[in-house]
Every structure is written in structure tokens, then in C-alpha cells.
Amino acid sequence: MAELSRRGLLSGQWRHHSDAIRPPWSCENSLFLAGCTRCLACVTACETGVLITGSGGFPEVDFQRAECTFCRQCATACEASLFYPPQTHPWQLVAEFTARCLAWHGIECRSCQDNCEMQAIRFRPQLGGIAKPVLEAAACNGCGACVADCPASAIAITRSKNNE
Ligand code: SF4
Ligand code: SF4
Ligand code: SF4
């Protein structure tokens, strides 16, 4: 696991960049920021392009660009020992629907359900209205495949409240 870098700790880097989503299986954010050399080998290795160079030059996930396939190429590319082993949970993220969803505004859409391999999205019929998406949180692995194709940018990937 990552050793805390004295320089990283003293500079207080972990106090900033706290909202960013780090690569799957990566260690706690403060340890990650202290140990990451910003070589960006993980970003280069990412097969989908979901990893980007984020704030401060650290790698972070951008689900507006792509999904995570959990290929682990980011972890394999990292020489700083900042990733947990593959048998652990990659992260505690789930999808969340916001009020921008077209179904809330009377427009039929099921794009998110079509993109969800985990079948974590159901559509609940509404009396006299359009069916609305409902997340089966236990089935969602936070891959983000539902995000980019949502025509209303109505899906956020957030840290699961059940696992905090
Ligand atoms: S697991 Fe694969 S797709 Fe996901 S961030 Fe890492 S390299 Fe990219
Ligand atoms: S893809 Fe977006 S707009 Fe369409 S139903 Fe899903 S959340 Fe709503
Ligand atoms: S984040 Fe992935 S698993 Fe979760 S609802 Fe979206 S597509 Fe399905």
C-alpha cells in the first residue's frame, strides 16, 4: 500500500481534489494524493478513456467521456502501489438520477436502461404518466455506462450512502 510522501502531506494536497473520483481499486484519497507521482501511466493505459488528467495533475474519472470496464489496466500500470488487489471491491459508487431526467418531464426515454449490463435500472410505471427510472442499488457497480448517452445529462455517479 502507498507510503505517505512527506512532501505530499506537508503541502496538504489531499485537502483539495477531494471530490474527484480516483481509479477503481485505488486507495483512500489522502493516501492516493500523497503517493501518486503523477506519472499518468494509468491514464495512458486506460482502455476506454474514462481516466483523465484531473485537477492538480492527478488521475481522475470522467464518466461524461466513457465508462469503466474494470479491466484493471490502470492498476497494472501503476508503479507506486496505490491499488488494492482485484478480489476487493473496486469502489463504492452508484448511479443517481436527477430531476433533469426526461421521464420527469413527460418524455419517454430508456437510454440508461439499454446501456446497463448489470440490469440495475428498472422503469416504474406511473399512473397516467411516463415510466420513471429507478435504481436497484445493490446491482449497480458504478461503471458509468449509463451516463454519457443520457440525453438530459441527468445521471450522476456518486459515493454510495449505504457504504460510507
Ligand atoms: S479499470 Fe480499465 S477502464 Fe476502468 S479506469 Fe482502469 S484502465 Fe480505465
Ligand atoms: S437516459 Fe437519462 S433522460 Fe433517459 S430515462 Fe435515463 S436518466 Fe432519464
Ligand atoms: S453505473 Fe453501470 S451498473 Fe450502475 S446503473 Fe449505470 S450502467 Fe448500470
Side-chain angles (χ1 to χ4, degrees):
M1 190 41 57
E3 287 184 18
L4 288 170
S5 131
R6 181 175 161 74
R7 182 165 52 84
L9 282 171
L10 290 176
S11 65
Q13 287 166 334
W14 74 92
R15 289 198 204 106
H16 315 289
H17 327 297
S18 57
D19 293 334
I21 296 172
R22 302 301 169 199
W25 289 284
S26 57
C27 60
E28 289 80 355
N29 200 40
S30 58
L31 290 173
F32 190 90
L33 294 178
C36 175
T37 62
R38 289 177 273 189
C39 70
L40 301 176
C42 54
V43 174
T44 304
C46 180
E47 68 173 17
T48 67
V50 70
L51 272 190
I52 62 165
T53 306
S55 174
F58 293 99
E60 66 182 54
V61 169
D62 181 356
F63 288 117
Q64 294 297 335
R65 292 168 54 96
E67 68 189 277
C68 176
T69 56
F70 304 107
C71 68
R72 262 189 85 85
Q73 290 186 33
C74 48
T76 302
C78 179
E79 294 187 351
S81 300
L82 295 170
F83 289 78
Y84 289 115
Q87 59 271 27
T88 58
H89 279 298
W91 50 28
Q92 309 284 2
L93 300 177
V94 291
E96 185 175 307
F97 303 106
T98 69
R100 295 168 63 101
C101 171
L102 296 180
W104 263 260
H105 302 280
I107 300 168
E108 186 78 51
C109 174
R110 300 205 177 195
S111 172
C112 50
Q113 187 180 48
D114 294 342
N115 283 318
C116 180
E117 284 187 11
M118 301 301 291
Q119 300 186 330
I121 301 171
R122 291 180 292 110
F123 274 76
R124 183 176 292 160
Q126 307 290 313
L127 206 59
I130 300 285
K132 293 177 179 171
V134 178
L135 185 76
E136 184 68 48
C140 175
N141 62 11
C143 70
C146 53
V147 173
D149 284 346
C150 171
S153 301
I155 305 173
I157 302 294
T158 62
R159 292 177 175 86
S160 167
K161 295 182 177 62
N162 293 332
N163 292 300
E164 282 176 351

